[in-house]
Structure formats: C-alpha cells, structure tokens
Amino acid sequence: MKRITFTTAATLAFAANAAFAETEITWWHAMGGALGDTVNQIASDFNASQDEYKITPVFKGTYEETLTAGIAAFRAGEQPNVMQVFDAGAATVIGAKGATIPVQDLLANNGVEFDINDYIAGVRYFYADSDGKMIGMPFNSSTPIMYYNIQALEKAGVTAPTTWEEFQTVTAPALKEAGYTALSQSHLPWIFTENFHSRHNLPFATNNNGYDGVDTQILVNNDAIKAHFTAVTDWQKNGYFEWFGTGWGDNQTPFEEGKVAMWLGSSGSFGGLSKKDLPFDFSATMLPYWEAVTTEPTQTFIGGASLFAMAGHDAEENKATAAFFDFLTSAEVQYFWHKETGYVPITEAAYEMAKADGHYDRAPAAEVGIQQLSLAAGDNTKGYRMGFYVQIRDVMNREYGRILTGETSVEDAFNAIESEANNLLARFAKTQG
Amino acid sequence: MKRAGFSTKWMPILLLMPQLVIIAIFFYWPAWHAIQSSFYLQDPFGFGSTFVGLENYTDLMGNSEYRRVAVFTLVFTVLVTFFSLAIALLLAVKADNVLRGARTYRTLLMWVYAVAPPVAGFIGLIMFDQSWGPLTRLAGFFGWDFVLGVNFNDTAAAMVLVSVWKQIPVNFIFFLSGLQSIPRSVREAALIDNGSATSRFWDVTFPLLAPTGFFLLIINITYALFDTFGIVDTLVKGEPGNNPMTLVYKVYVDGFRGNDLGGSSAQSVILMVLVLALTVFQFRLIDRRIHYT
C-alpha cells in the first residue's frame, strides 16, 4: 500500500473542503458503451466550466431499468436530480404530477432564458403537455431513417426509394436480382407503427393522440397500416424483406454484414455505424411513404429519451439542474453530442453550427434525421402520449412477430393489438384516479 | 425416544426469534404487500391509486395471452423436469456400473451446475446464433431451419435444451449417491433371482430410488418454474416479442418493464398459491406413498 504523506493528506482535506462548497447533483441515465463515454465527457465538461455545481452521471442499465430504478428511488425519497426517461415511458412520468418539475418552469424560475421555438420543429412537443409546455428536456433525440449500402444499390442500378410503391416495384426486385435481401428493419412498433402514423399524418389515438387526457383509445386498427403490413408480408414472401427477431441488433447485424441492402434504423445509429469498419460505404435517406395514402408526407417525431428534473430537491440543487440544462442545450454541447453519436441536435442554433462547420458536407447521412424532423408538420405529428405504453409495445411486438412467422393474419393481429391496448389504456386511466 | 425439554417456555421462543423475524420481514411482509397491491391499480410513482377489487385477477383470467403463457409454462415445466430427470438417471445408472474414474466423471459433470443461469442462456445464444451458431448449423444439416428468437417453437426448444443441460448435473449427483446407498445384499439377491437387467432395475433399484427421485421431482419442478428466469431472459434478450415466456418472467415483464404494479402483483399472488399447492401436494399426497428406508 502507498504511504500517504502529510502533504497529500493536507491537500486531500483541502480539496474535500473546496468540493463541499459546490452544489452536487446526480444524473441517472441509460447510455451504455460509447454513448456513456460521451455522457461522461459532457458531465465533466460542465463541471470544468464553472465551480459552483458538480454533476455526477450514473449509468442505470436499459431505459426500462433506469425508469424503474428512478421510480423506486422516488418512492423512497432518494431520487436523483436528473433522470433520463425514454419515449414510451413519458406518459408514466408526465402522468405523475408532482414527480417532476416541468423543465420550462425550472428554467424560468432560475433565470434561464427559454423559448420553445429555439428547438427544431420535430422535438418541441413530444415531451410537452397538451398546452405545449415543455415538461421533459429532449436529450438524445433520434428519428427513424433509412440506411443503405451504396455499393449494393449501384450494383442493382437503382437509387434509394422515396415511396414504398417505388420500393416494391423498382428497388426491391432489382436488389433481389443483384443477390441482396432488399430490406430489414429494427423496432417495428417505433418505425412501422408510431412513425408510420406521423409520416402519413394519421391519428394514432383519440384525445389528440393521447395528449389531452387519459381516457384514450388507440386508433392503430386502420386500413392504411393494415395495407402496409399486408404489403410487408408480400415482400417477405418475395424475398424483398426479412425479419430477424424482436431485438434491435438482430435486424441491424445482417445490414452490417452486407446481406441486407437497406435497413430502417435510428438516426442515432449513425455514430455507431460510422465507427464500425463496414465492408461497404453507407448513406441514408428519409423514411419512404405510401403515395396511395398521402402525396404530402409529413415529419416524423423523435424517439430516444429526454431528461426530467425530479421534484423534491432544495432550491439550490434545482438551480444547479437548471444551470446544467442551460449548458446542455448550448449550441456547442449539442453539436458535440450530435457529431459524436448521430442523435439530432435539438436546437436550431446547434444545427446552424453543424452546417457552418461543414459536418454535413463530410457526412450527408448525418443530416437526414434533422431534415426529416423539420418537414411540414400535421395535426398528428407531434408524438403520442399513452400510459402502460411499454406493455402496448410488447403486445405489438408479439403480434407483429406472429404475422411475420405466419402464426396469425394481419386482420386478427390488429384486432388483438387494438383490444389489448385499449384494455391497458383503461387500466392506466384507473391508476391516475 | 427420549425427549429433550426446556424448563421455561420462553427460552425456545427466544431462540427461535431470529429465524421468525427474518421470515416475517423477508417473506410475510412482502407477500402481504403483494396481496394488498393486487387489489389496486396504482400510479407507479405512488400518487394515485384506485381500488379495483378482483379486477386484476379477472383481467388475467380473461386475457388469452396470460392463458397462453400459463399453458407454455406447464408444457415447459413437464418437459424440463422429465428430460433432466430421465437423462440424469440414465447417466447415473451407467456411471454406477463403472466405478473406475467415476470421481473424475462426476466432477466434470458437476462443473456445469456452477454455471449461472444467465451465462447458460448466453451460451445458448452463441450456440443458436442465426448465422453462425454451431447448433443452428447442426439443425440445418438435418433440414431444420432453426431460427432462435423468430420462431416460437424453435425458441421454446432452445429454452428447454439449455434448462435441461443446466439441471442434469445436480440430478445426476443425487441419483448416483442414491444408487450407491442401495445395500449390496439387496442387489446380490436381485441378481440371483432375476437375470434381466431391465426388470432388475424397474423392480428393485427404481423403487429404492423413489425417495431421491421424489425429492428431485419437487426440486426440478421448482427449478423449471422459477430458476429458469435467467435463461429465459437471456434467450429472448429482454424483449419477448412473439417468443415463449414463463409465468415468472411475465411478472417481471409487466411489473418491472411495464410498471403495471397491480397486474404484476396479482400474477405474483397466483404464483404464491401455486407454490403453496405444490407444497401441500408434496407433503400430503406423495410423501405418504413413498417408502423411505
């Protein structure tokens, strides 16, 4: 063991004393691996940028695990100051009035300027209440986009499709001819359901997509999406589409291996894909749409997660949280996060900075997500708010799996999703009583 | 038999106290909470809750998915229990015959028991990988297009296989020591009376193994119902989709992933009743018919 000299001990004591003057706050998050390193980098940059506050990031596992840990901590009165909550958990945390301080109030009360219009269009309202007040601070925001293997498309002599009609009549047959499976996709509920509705500006649930109340009914059992899934099963039969399982990576891996030519994933996957040594060049384009459903495709909304300021802390700590959010939303930090990970920058200022820096000239694919989020909005494009939504997604995953393995028909699957989801929504409404 | 007694009745109670307190805090108290919250639908953060009576239970009974999970759990438990007992018994009988090197053989088999369930599940994931898993290739060789995580039955087969593989060693050890404790004189008498090895096994050895077998039966049912959680979780990668899952895993999915505390509590209570029934069955029905030596 190392001997501690008197001077070291004195220095340590002095350092501890100096640290005592800082207000310490904690941040629970679900960003593992390379994302976690970037989170730690942001936290230490914040700590180095001033000497009043100190934030400690703590990795808590998956999104679900982080939310469950946060809830348990809240019930024990030991909640962190900042908690990351994913899209599907938003209704749970926003529904619990008094669990969090709306981020807009937090910033206003602590003298930080806030204007929701500084944020890019697609991220403004997903974590807002029905009046448009921002409750959670969008953090790692992503949206589904279509990645493609440039060499594969060249070999097949086609370009990336803009519509699903083009995909099934031109792109997919050519890619099959060239020896590829044309398409795979990760997270069916997120891409082929939630964002399918916003891309075509279709209502997803009653009550203004669930924002206006808890007595919500899901509207997923509609002709447009049933026609889509019927088409997907046809593509599967023709060898244009393959499904490799419920896990995100199950469907990404065959694309990385070069077996699948196009993959629907998250704009946040960009950073990870760029760092991998793929055997081909890739680029990305916007999510295709059905011309038969709409000729004016609208924006998609964000997935990923946001940061909530947990209630029950003293004013000094809340001030520290506000200062951290201020730092986090600065253009420099947002651009750094965007560049490192591929998640979209959440403010217009950060987007401008990325453009000015030539980031998109070097990597055009990095801009696709933000372009798609900035498309024209519609009545049904700001997101959705439904309780017990994690379970509703589980039901969707199960039924989609059954459709794609031939265990059930599209019609029966959507009937099952509708009735089970409505049952869960009714149960959630009772928890708010 | 001589009875040992205490002079005061407080002494034994005092000595039992630590144990009773532990049981009360770690079993009765949480169990009581589970029963209580199974009658409510509550906001996960604890702000609001509604008393719904038996609605959580009736919802489960009317839910076709829950019934499907229950049926799968039953089939899974029967298969895992049967195969892990049968294969272990076969191995034990063979090992009993050749005693040379039995110790090494035993140690080697025992190692598998030391593998934690999630690790066992992970080994399963590697063996059944869709593109390069050795067992996937083996299945392909026989014309079986095995796709773990996509096809319900394939995933179920992998779950059973991994669970059985992990449970065989412990059964084997118990069966082997059970076999070795059968008195030599009985075996020799059987050898003189009857020539056929098969009938000798079923008429003499098997009944004498019954106490061990019965104990293992209960242990294996409990294992298949509860301890396979880690294997199930790893093989479905935390997102079941259309893959099979067991009742215990569904409690976790609805309660911890989905934050449905009331529904998940009702499911736990149903499992508690199941365990209670199993215990009663063990002591009341079977225990009496087994002849302990």
Side-chain angles (χ1 to χ4, degrees):
Chain A
M1 213 175 124
K2 242 166 129 186
R3 277 183 59 194
I4 297 178
T5 61
F6 174 74
T7 19
T8 346
T11 323
L12 277 175
F14 180 74
N17 240 338
F20 191 69
E22 293 174 335
T23 307
E24 298 198 10
I25 55 172
T26 48
W27 172 18
W28 287 8
H29 66 83
M31 306 271 84
L35 291 172
D37 296 340
T38 314
V39 160
N40 291 338
Q41 184 63 48
I42 290 176
S44 56
D45 287 350
F46 172 68
N47 293 337
S49 73
Q50 39 71 45
D51 50 15
E52 277 177 89
Y53 316 115
K54 182 170 184 285
I55 194 162
T56 311
V58 184
F59 174 61
K60 281 291 185 184
T62 64
Y63 283 140
E64 287 91 350
E65 285 161 359
T66 306
L67 178 60
T68 305
I71 288 171
F74 184 84
R75 296 183 75 142
E78 302 282 337
Q79 67 274 30
N81 298 78
V82 180
M83 180 165 80
Q84 187 184 18
V85 178
F86 66 133
D87 50 3
T92 303
V93 66
I94 293 175
K97 296 260 180 308
T100 68
I101 308 169
V103 68
Q104 195 166 334
D105 294 346
L106 178 87
L107 295 178
N109 295 342
N110 289 288
V112 178
E113 261 180 59
F114 177 86
D115 181 359
I116 205 162
N117 294 316
D118 290 345
Y119 294 79
I120 63 167
V123 310
R124 282 175 203 160
Y125 298 109
F126 192 93
Y127 298 100
D129 65 12
S130 58
D131 301 327
K133 182 202 260 185
M134 198 183 266
I135 309 291
M137 170 66 73
F139 172 55
N140 55 321
S141 304
S142 56
T143 205
I145 56 175
M146 185 163 80
Y147 290 94
Y148 57 86
N149 177 332
I150 295 175
Q151 277 86 26
L153 292 187
E154 276 172 2
K155 196 174 157 198
V158 285
T159 52
T162 49
T163 65
W164 288 121
E165 280 89 350
E166 183 188 348
F167 169 80
Q168 71 180 11
T169 54
V170 182
T171 328
L175 281 166
K176 191 189 173 190
E177 193 70 14
Y180 293 94
T181 298
L183 183 75
S184 73
Q185 80 105 64
S186 293
H187 212 322
L188 288 156
W190 185 48
I191 302 180
F192 273 178
T193 313
E194 296 155 23
N195 279 291
F196 178 89
H197 284 85
S198 72
R199 191 82 173 107
H200 298 96
N201 195 18
L202 295 168
F204 186 30
T206 59
N207 267 338
N208 181 24
N209 277 355
Y211 279 85
D212 293 347
V214 289
D215 55 337
T216 303
Q217 301 256 303
I218 201 166
L219 297 174
V220 73
N221 195 358
N222 59 60
D223 292 339
I225 196 166
K226 281 190 279 191
H228 178 68
F229 269 88
T230 307
V232 171
T233 54
D234 287 340
W235 301 341
Q236 197 188 13
K237 280 184 204 111
N238 293 333
Y240 301 162
F241 176 85
E242 203 170 338
W243 181 68
F244 300 90
T246 313
W248 182 280
D250 296 343
N251 297 291
Q252 184 176 347
T253 309
F255 172 71
E256 290 174 356
E257 287 168 349
K259 184 178 159 193
V260 168
M262 300 189 294
W263 169 64
L264 303 184
S266 160
S267 61
S269 306
F270 176 78
L273 283 174
S274 313
K275 280 172 192 139
K276 276 184 186 153
D277 192 20
L278 297 183
F280 54 85
D281 298 318
F282 75 91
S283 189
T285 186
M286 288 189 205
L287 214 54
Y289 59 94
W290 286 99
E291 221 167 1
V293 179
T294 180
T295 47
E296 287 166 17
T298 39
Q299 62 178 212
T300 50
F301 49 77
I302 48 170
S306 67
L307 303 183
F308 283 87
M310 302 300 288
H313 294 287
D314 62 35
E316 197 54 35
E317 289 186 20
N318 289 340
K319 201 174 161 202
T321 306
F324 173 66
F325 282 166
D326 191 25
F327 175 81
L328 189 66
T329 51
S330 69
E332 292 79 12
V333 175
Q334 279 302 315
Y335 177 40
F336 169 72
W337 175 244
H338 173 52
K339 206 165 58 174
E340 285 297 309
T341 64
Y343 283 110
V344 299
I346 56 170
T347 60
E348 295 284 1
Y351 181 33
E352 290 306 323
M353 184 179 262
K355 273 197 263 190
D357 192 47
H359 182 50
Y360 305 125
D361 300 332
R362 291 187 295 269
E367 197 180 3
V368 175
I370 192 166
Q371 284 170 334
Q372 190 174 289
L373 286 169
S374 308
L375 290 174
D379 292 338
N380 302 299
T381 57
K382 70 174 178 176
Y384 61 89
R385 178 78 29 86
M386 284 182 261
F388 284 158
Y389 195 72
V390 176
Q391 281 166 291
I392 295 177
R393 269 187 177 171
D394 282 343
V395 171
M396 289 175 179
N397 264 324
R398 189 190 76 220
E399 292 301 322
Y400 294 159
R402 284 185 193 165
I403 291 176
L404 295 170
T405 52
E407 281 178 66
T408 187
S409 67
V410 171
E411 192 63 42
D412 288 349
F414 278 95
N415 285 334
I417 294 170
E418 185 181 35
S419 76
E420 285 188 48
N422 282 336
N423 188 30
L424 284 164
L425 288 169
R427 284 166 59 78
F428 183 77
K430 283 184 193 161
T431 68
Q432 306 290 301
Chain B
M1 205 208 268
K2 205 179 140 193
R3 283 176 65 97
F6 288 100
S7 48
T8 86
K9 66 175 173 190
W10 295 110
M11 195 58 184
I13 292 177
L14 193 74
L15 291 173
L16 274 175
M17 251 351 233
Q19 181 71 31
L20 291 178
V21 167
I22 287 171
I23 292 177
I25 293 177
F26 291 101
F27 184 73
Y28 289 111
W29 192 50
W32 168 246
H33 265 271
I35 293 171
Q36 214 178 13
S37 70
S38 73
F39 297 116
Y40 286 87
L41 269 171
Q42 57 173 315
D43 170 67
F45 282 89
F47 285 102
S49 67
T50 309
F51 180 78
V52 293
L54 290 172
E55 200 184 293
N56 285 326
Y57 294 94
T58 51
D59 268 5
L60 284 177
M61 295 307 139
N63 185 329
S64 62
E65 179 56 23
Y66 189 73
R67 287 200 301 270
R68 193 169 122 122
V69 173
V71 169
F72 173 76
T73 309
L74 184 74
V75 173
F76 175 79
T77 306
V78 169
L79 289 177
V80 170
T81 308
F82 176 75
F83 283 113
S84 44
L85 286 176
I87 297 170
L89 182 60
L90 185 73
L91 292 176
V93 169
K94 295 295 172 201
D96 192 36
N97 293 338
V98 239
L99 276 178
R100 185 189 295 262
R103 195 181 291 265
T104 325
Y105 184 49
R106 221 185 312 177
T107 315
L108 284 175
L109 253 175
M110 199 61 188
W111 277 350
V112 179
Y113 184 62
V115 173
V119 178
F122 191 69
I123 294 171
L125 269 187
I126 293 171
M127 300 305 271
F128 287 110
D129 186 275
Q130 278 179 31
S131 48
W132 47 264
L135 288 178
T136 310
R137 288 198 178 152
L138 185 71
F141 182 74
F142 292 104
W144 183 2
D145 188 15
F146 196 99
V147 267
L148 178 74
V150 173
N151 184 299
F152 183 91
N153 293 327
D154 291 355
T155 313
M159 279 176 187
V160 171
L161 191 82
V162 175
S163 307
V164 167
W165 170 72
K166 203 189 128 30
Q167 190 62 8
I168 286 173
V170 70
N171 293 346
F172 169 79
I173 297 296
F174 275 98
F175 274 134
L176 190 63
S177 50
L179 282 170
Q180 289 180 350
S181 68
I182 294 173
R184 279 225 96 70
S185 53
V186 175
R187 295 181 179 214
E188 280 161 7
L191 207 59
I192 295 164
D193 281 356
N194 197 325
S196 151
T198 321
S199 61
R200 241 179 12 244
F201 175 78
W202 289 114
D203 293 341
V204 180
T205 317
F206 192 73
L208 286 170
L209 261 186
T212 314
F214 171 66
F215 165 75
L216 286 180
L217 179 71
I218 300 293
I219 292 288
N220 280 271
I221 291 175
T222 322
Y223 163 78
L225 279 174
F226 299 98
D227 288 353
T228 49
F229 180 91
I231 294 172
V232 174
D233 185 49
T234 323
L235 285 177
V236 304
K237 297 172 190 164
E239 280 192 300
N242 65 323
N243 292 301
M245 58 176 153
T246 55
L247 286 171
V248 172
Y249 195 68
K250 190 160 167 61
V251 171
Y252 160 77
V253 166
D254 290 347
F256 284 82
R257 267 172 55 88
N259 292 307
D260 180 1
L261 302 182
S264 164
S265 296
Q267 293 179 29
S268 320
V269 172
I270 291 174
L271 283 176
M272 278 197 278
V273 171
L274 194 70
V275 173
L276 202 67
L278 206 65
T279 317
V280 170
F281 173 72
Q282 173 178 5
F283 288 109
R284 281 295 167 86
L285 284 154
I286 295 190
D287 229 13
R288 284 184 189 166
R289 295 165 190 244
I290 299 275
H291 182 74
Y292 286 100
T293 41

